[in-house]
Amino acid sequence: MLYVEDEAEIAEILIEVLADEYDIDHAASGEEGLRLALGRRYDVLLIDRRLPGLTGVELVEAIRTARIATPALMLTALGAIDDRVSGLDAGADDYLVKPFDFAELRARLRALRRGRGAGDRRELGEWIFTPASQALYSPDIGRIALTQAESELLELLSSSPEHVFTRDEILDAVFPGGSATTVDTYVHYIRRKSTPEIIETVRARGYRSGAPR
Ligand code: CA
């Protein structure tokens, strides 16, 4: 685990609490956290939102921009809903408001490590797609928000990357009652927001998700 927290006393307590379950690298600043995250592969990231210099939100953003999909839990002392949302928007998978219960922290971390729910991340070419937050990330462009329908379409295609989905299959799953043009229109929307290669057209058959490169 990579744990980024500048306050030494808090860090000391949490490291002690989690040491039986995790091998922990501790970074005392966002900059150091980024250096470690780029240099090593971790199973989970625990990031304090309030850091001097590079903030927790900026750190998560930088990690996602570098196409590192490791699940991240953000710790926030701020109660405002906007602050929680900004962490998730930046690419965190979950957040916990201080003060929190240690048992809950453990449970959330375990859930993230198992890749359940919000930790679901899929590679589509150069992009990372996170169905839970309906967003795409690219190293060049950053974060792109998808609509519910766009996200559901991409979720279907990326659920089985080798499979070519016919328009009928897509209609049944995502746009019941729609027409073949509905499918083509949404494919167009997603490509226009991101890149044409994100969805591959298989002539006379249908669509499949762009292959990881
Ligand atoms: Ca802090």
PDB file of all heavy atoms in Angstrom, residues 5-7 10 48-52 98, ligand 1:
ATOM      1  N   GLU A   5       0.382  10.969   3.695  1.00  0.00           N
ATOM      2  CA  GLU A   5      -0.140  11.806   4.798  1.00  0.00           C
ATOM      3  C   GLU A   5       1.016  12.633   5.346  1.00  0.00           C
ATOM      4  O   GLU A   5       2.092  12.100   5.633  1.00  0.00           O
ATOM      5  CB  GLU A   5      -0.731  10.899   5.883  1.00  0.00           C
ATOM      6  CG  GLU A   5      -1.015  11.575   7.213  1.00  0.00           C
ATOM      7  CD  GLU A   5      -2.100  12.634   7.144  1.00  0.00           C
ATOM      8  OE1 GLU A   5      -3.286  12.264   7.256  1.00  0.00           O
ATOM      9  OE2 GLU A   5      -1.769  13.815   6.959  1.00  0.00           O
ATOM     10  N   ASP A   6       0.793  13.935   5.480  1.00  0.00           N
ATOM     11  CA  ASP A   6       1.867  14.811   5.940  1.00  0.00           C
ATOM     12  C   ASP A   6       1.957  14.886   7.470  1.00  0.00           C
ATOM     13  O   ASP A   6       3.021  15.153   8.008  1.00  0.00           O
ATOM     14  CB  ASP A   6       1.693  16.216   5.360  1.00  0.00           C
ATOM     15  CG  ASP A   6       0.369  16.830   5.766  1.00  0.00           C
ATOM     16  OD1 ASP A   6      -0.668  16.163   5.570  1.00  0.00           O
ATOM     17  OD2 ASP A   6       0.355  17.957   6.284  1.00  0.00           O
ATOM     18  N   GLU A   7       0.823  14.683   8.154  1.00  0.00           N
ATOM     19  CA  GLU A   7       0.854  14.817   9.620  1.00  0.00           C
ATOM     20  C   GLU A   7       1.433  13.557  10.266  1.00  0.00           C
ATOM     21  O   GLU A   7       0.834  12.480  10.200  1.00  0.00           O
ATOM     22  CB  GLU A   7      -0.549  15.083  10.151  1.00  0.00           C
ATOM     23  CG  GLU A   7      -1.019  16.501   9.853  1.00  0.00           C
ATOM     24  CD  GLU A   7      -2.460  16.541   9.402  1.00  0.00           C
ATOM     25  OE1 GLU A   7      -2.741  16.164   8.252  1.00  0.00           O
ATOM     26  OE2 GLU A   7      -3.300  16.932  10.212  1.00  0.00           O
ATOM     27  N   ILE A  10      -0.664  11.347  12.948  1.00  0.00           N
ATOM     28  CA  ILE A  10      -1.754  10.578  12.342  1.00  0.00           C
ATOM     29  C   ILE A  10      -1.187   9.412  11.541  1.00  0.00           C
ATOM     30  O   ILE A  10      -1.667   8.282  11.620  1.00  0.00           O
ATOM     31  CB  ILE A  10      -2.596  11.492  11.414  1.00  0.00           C
ATOM     32  CG1 ILE A  10      -3.217  12.621  12.238  1.00  0.00           C
ATOM     33  CG2 ILE A  10      -3.676  10.682  10.698  1.00  0.00           C
ATOM     34  CD1 ILE A  10      -3.954  13.646  11.419  1.00  0.00           C
ATOM     35  N   ASP A  48      -4.383  11.203   1.915  1.00  0.00           N
ATOM     36  CA  ASP A  48      -5.022  12.280   2.657  1.00  0.00           C
ATOM     37  C   ASP A  48      -5.300  13.432   1.691  1.00  0.00           C
ATOM     38  O   ASP A  48      -4.485  13.748   0.828  1.00  0.00           O
ATOM     39  CB  ASP A  48      -4.112  12.748   3.798  1.00  0.00           C
ATOM     40  CG  ASP A  48      -4.827  13.739   4.698  1.00  0.00           C
ATOM     41  OD1 ASP A  48      -5.942  13.428   5.139  1.00  0.00           O
ATOM     42  OD2 ASP A  48      -4.277  14.823   4.949  1.00  0.00           O
ATOM     43  N   ARG A  49      -6.474  14.029   1.832  1.00  0.00           N
ATOM     44  CA  ARG A  49      -6.839  15.078   0.886  1.00  0.00           C
ATOM     45  C   ARG A  49      -6.035  16.357   1.135  1.00  0.00           C
ATOM     46  O   ARG A  49      -5.659  17.057   0.220  1.00  0.00           O
ATOM     47  CB  ARG A  49      -8.327  15.384   1.023  1.00  0.00           C
ATOM     48  CG  ARG A  49      -8.848  16.261  -0.086  1.00  0.00           C
ATOM     49  CD  ARG A  49     -10.336  16.494   0.088  1.00  0.00           C
ATOM     50  NE  ARG A  49     -10.853  17.199  -1.061  1.00  0.00           N
ATOM     51  CZ  ARG A  49     -10.702  18.488  -1.265  1.00  0.00           C
ATOM     52  NH1 ARG A  49     -10.031  19.217  -0.412  1.00  0.00           N
ATOM     53  NH2 ARG A  49     -11.203  19.057  -2.336  1.00  0.00           N
ATOM     54  N   ARG A  50      -5.798  16.629   2.428  1.00  0.00           N
ATOM     55  CA  ARG A  50      -5.119  17.873   2.766  1.00  0.00           C
ATOM     56  C   ARG A  50      -3.612  17.651   2.892  1.00  0.00           C
ATOM     57  O   ARG A  50      -3.144  17.108   3.884  1.00  0.00           O
ATOM     58  CB  ARG A  50      -5.667  18.387   4.101  1.00  0.00           C
ATOM     59  CG  ARG A  50      -6.089  19.840   4.005  1.00  0.00           C
ATOM     60  CD  ARG A  50      -6.682  20.297   5.299  1.00  0.00           C
ATOM     61  NE  ARG A  50      -7.946  20.978   5.072  1.00  0.00           N
ATOM     62  CZ  ARG A  50      -8.682  21.491   6.045  1.00  0.00           C
ATOM     63  NH1 ARG A  50      -8.300  21.381   7.292  1.00  0.00           N
ATOM     64  NH2 ARG A  50      -9.809  22.104   5.759  1.00  0.00           N
ATOM     65  N   LEU A  51      -2.903  18.019   1.866  1.00  0.00           N
ATOM     66  CA  LEU A  51      -1.448  17.894   1.856  1.00  0.00           C
ATOM     67  C   LEU A  51      -0.876  19.241   1.432  1.00  0.00           C
ATOM     68  O   LEU A  51      -1.477  19.936   0.612  1.00  0.00           O
ATOM     69  CB  LEU A  51      -0.999  16.826   0.850  1.00  0.00           C
ATOM     70  CG  LEU A  51      -1.473  15.386   1.068  1.00  0.00           C
ATOM     71  CD1 LEU A  51      -1.211  14.543  -0.175  1.00  0.00           C
ATOM     72  CD2 LEU A  51      -0.781  14.770   2.283  1.00  0.00           C
ATOM     73  N   PRO A  52       0.303  19.619   1.971  1.00  0.00           N
ATOM     74  CA  PRO A  52       0.911  20.869   1.509  1.00  0.00           C
ATOM     75  C   PRO A  52       1.476  20.668   0.101  1.00  0.00           C
ATOM     76  O   PRO A  52       1.840  19.557  -0.263  1.00  0.00           O
ATOM     77  CB  PRO A  52       2.047  21.089   2.511  1.00  0.00           C
ATOM     78  CG  PRO A  52       2.378  19.725   3.027  1.00  0.00           C
ATOM     79  CD  PRO A  52       1.119  18.904   2.951  1.00  0.00           C
ATOM     80  N   LYS A  98     -12.862  12.037   8.073  1.00  0.00           N
ATOM     81  CA  LYS A  98     -12.270  11.985   9.415  1.00  0.00           C
ATOM     82  C   LYS A  98     -13.205  12.659  10.415  1.00  0.00           C
ATOM     83  O   LYS A  98     -13.815  13.663  10.072  1.00  0.00           O
ATOM     84  CB  LYS A  98     -10.942  12.735   9.433  1.00  0.00           C
ATOM     85  CG  LYS A  98      -9.846  12.149   8.589  1.00  0.00           C
ATOM     86  CD  LYS A  98      -8.637  13.070   8.758  1.00  0.00           C
ATOM     87  CE  LYS A  98      -7.543  12.788   7.768  1.00  0.00           C
ATOM     88  NZ  LYS A  98      -6.445  13.749   7.886  1.00  0.00           N
TER      89      LYS A  98
HETATM   90 CA    CA B   1      -2.922  16.088   6.044  1.00  0.00          CA
END
